[in-house]
Amino acid sequence: MADTQEVKAWTYVSGGYPNGLKQSTVRVPRPNDIKGLGTTAHMLIRLKACALNPVDIQMINLNSSLTPAAPKKQEKGVVCDFAGIVEAGGRTGFIKDEEVFGLTLNPAKYGGGSLAGMAEYDMANTVAVKKPKDWSWAKAAAISLVWLTARTCIEDVNAKVEDEEGKRIAVLGGSSAAGIYVILLAKKRGWNVIATSSGKNKDFITKTLGADEHVDYTAVKSVRAAVEAFKPVAVIDCVGGTECVGLPSSKKYISIVGDKTGRSSMGGPYTYYNPLSYHAPVQWARWAKGQVGLGEAYDVVMLKMKREWLEEVKETLTPDQIFVDSEFDYDDALKAFERLNSGRCVGKVVINLP
């Protein structure tokens, strides 16, 4: 058995969020053992910061329901987004002491969560790139998941938008972590954008991000009517629901959530397969109609783990365009999750790691 070392980590076994989360310790390989791990490349990172996403809570709830009585040896890690210093690059091409940022899609793996002093990442489900020197650890941790999500959405609607003279899109949830970067990417392509948010974020949406029009969903009688008047050729939904599905002008509707609107259960493509949800068959039917040309094309998407897209962010955004809502210390992780779960964040909630 490979030699290991013990590190501090937040973990869970069962109980869901927030009851299952606790401070613990896990064992990760020592640097010299990383090269020989598995059939895919692994790396060992000394973590400096991580950023929270709603999917982190959803994974805790989902995995807890699947293993309600799991023994201690099955403790699961938490948090996808990370920034840190390479302890051992293995066969990844990274070398010791390089500063990197990225995300893992398997934080639940024992010793593989980003809310820890150190983590071992399997590159089969991880993407990482070198951190620019002028980026803080918090900014570096805050960008990977939302950038790749936004980039995926933009790519999925690109053909439809570029074919339309007005190049108009609607972004539902414009002040959400993903919605921010959808707007920024769309404006950098010269597209016209209408975005929804609460009224308090109007200036942020229009002046900071550059959206052309804003809809205050707390004030208008009908969000659908307000968005429809803009005549978008595509809708990118970052909040969930069905209010703007099937607009007459829309040729493509992309959601990162699905029809559900609750924050506690898993969204994204999982909603097609959730046996407990009445939304699943409705979404399948809507998708199928779009596939045969009966109405707008529809899909619920998950980010694409493209390293070249993550490299792009370093050339596309300035540090001022990476938005951090708040920062917390390691011991205050539960308060950070509370802030995330409030639904009032503008930008990412970051936890700084000792």
Side-chain angles (χ1 to χ4, degrees):
M1 177 180 291
D3 193 14
T4 60
Q5 56 186 322
E6 192 173 82
V7 298
K8 293 172 63 176
W10 281 84
T11 66
Y12 64 98
V13 175
S14 59
Y17 169 81
N19 297 331
L21 270 176
K22 63 185 179 68
Q23 290 199 52
S24 184
T25 58
V26 296
R27 303 200 71 85
V28 298
R30 292 189 182 277
N32 289 341
D33 292 316
I34 288 293
K35 286 185 179 179
L37 286 172
T39 57
T40 57
H42 290 233
M43 65 179 179
L44 187 66
I45 302 294
R46 176 159 41 95
L47 295 156
K48 301 294 287 183
C50 66
L52 305 185
N53 297 280
V55 72
D56 294 318
I57 291 176
Q58 294 158 11
M59 283 183 175
I60 294 169
N61 289 334
L62 177 64
N63 289 331
S64 294
S65 69
L66 295 175
T67 56
K72 180 173 171 52
K73 68 179 182 180
Q74 291 179 306
E75 279 186 311
K76 297 175 176 64
V78 293
V79 182
C80 298
D81 276 324
F82 65 84
I85 300 170
V86 176
E87 283 290 304
R91 293 175 281 114
T92 64
F94 294 110
I95 60 175
K96 181 175 170 56
D97 294 332
E98 282 187 323
E99 298 179 352
V100 299
F101 68 97
L103 81 150
T104 176
L105 293 184
N106 189 21
K109 174 183 174 292
Y110 182 82
S114 300
L115 185 45
M118 196 176 295
E120 172 210 341
Y121 295 116
D122 183 342
M123 302 310 288
N125 44 53
T126 302
V127 62
V129 296
K130 292 181 183 179
K131 180 182 84 68
K133 291 295 183 183
D134 61 338
W135 286 18
S136 68
W137 289 114
K139 299 248 179 182
I143 192 62
S144 297
L145 188 145
V146 287
W147 173 264
L148 290 176
T149 299
R151 186 69 170 79
T152 300
C153 292
I154 289 290
E155 195 67 25
D156 279 3
V157 303
N158 182 72
K160 298 289 187 186
V161 177
E162 290 293 341
D163 280 347
E164 190 254 352
E165 184 177 352
K167 295 180 173 55
R168 295 171 176 265
I169 71 164
V171 181
L172 310 181
S175 61
S176 68
I180 287 170
Y181 300 101
V182 171
I183 295 172
L184 285 175
L185 276 167
K187 293 308 299 178
K188 286 178 182 294
R189 295 189 181 207
W191 298 356
N192 294 299
V193 178
I194 187 171
T196 69
S197 79
S198 63
K200 67 183 180 66
N201 291 324
K202 178 180 178 179
D203 284 350
F204 176 70
I205 294 289
T206 57
K207 296 179 181 178
T208 303
L209 302 182
D212 302 277
E213 293 191 24
H214 175 262
V215 176
D216 178 358
Y217 70 84
T218 68
V220 298
K221 184 175 181 180
S222 169
V223 171
R224 182 183 180 88
V227 174
E228 183 176 337
F230 190 73
K231 297 183 178 179
V233 71
V235 177
I236 297 175
D237 174 15
C238 301
V239 292
T242 61
E243 189 168 13
C244 291
V245 171
L247 296 178
S249 61
S250 177
K251 293 181 172 61
K252 191 149 194 178
Y253 189 105
I254 293 294
S255 176
I256 65 172
V257 181
D259 286 7
K260 80 176 189 74
T261 54
R263 299 175 59 84
S264 61
S265 62
M266 188 69 73
Y270 174 78
T271 55
Y272 280 125
Y273 304 98
N274 185 353
L276 302 179
S277 172
Y278 68 90
H279 298 303
V282 176
Q283 289 181 190
W284 274 116
R286 193 183 302 134
W287 173 85
K289 287 175 64 179
Q291 291 296 299
V292 296
L294 299 176
E296 68 183 346
Y298 171 88
D299 204 2
V300 185
V301 300
M302 181 177 176
L303 63 87
K304 291 181 172 66
M305 296 279 280
K306 292 191 174 185
R307 184 172 177 175
E308 62 268 28
W309 285 2
L310 199 54
E311 289 282 5
E312 280 179 14
V313 71
K314 296 187 288 186
E315 306 301 324
T316 306
L317 300 182
T318 66
D320 289 343
Q321 292 176 310
I322 300 175
F323 298 96
V324 174
D325 174 86
S326 48
E327 297 182 45
F328 293 82
D329 291 333
Y330 175 86
D331 289 336
D332 292 328
L334 288 176
K335 293 180 181 178
F337 274 97
E338 288 173 10
R339 175 61 185 170
L340 170 73
N341 208 35
S342 72
R344 296 191 295 272
C345 301
V346 178
K348 300 303 290 295
V349 176
V350 172
I351 300 175
N352 295 305
L353 302 170

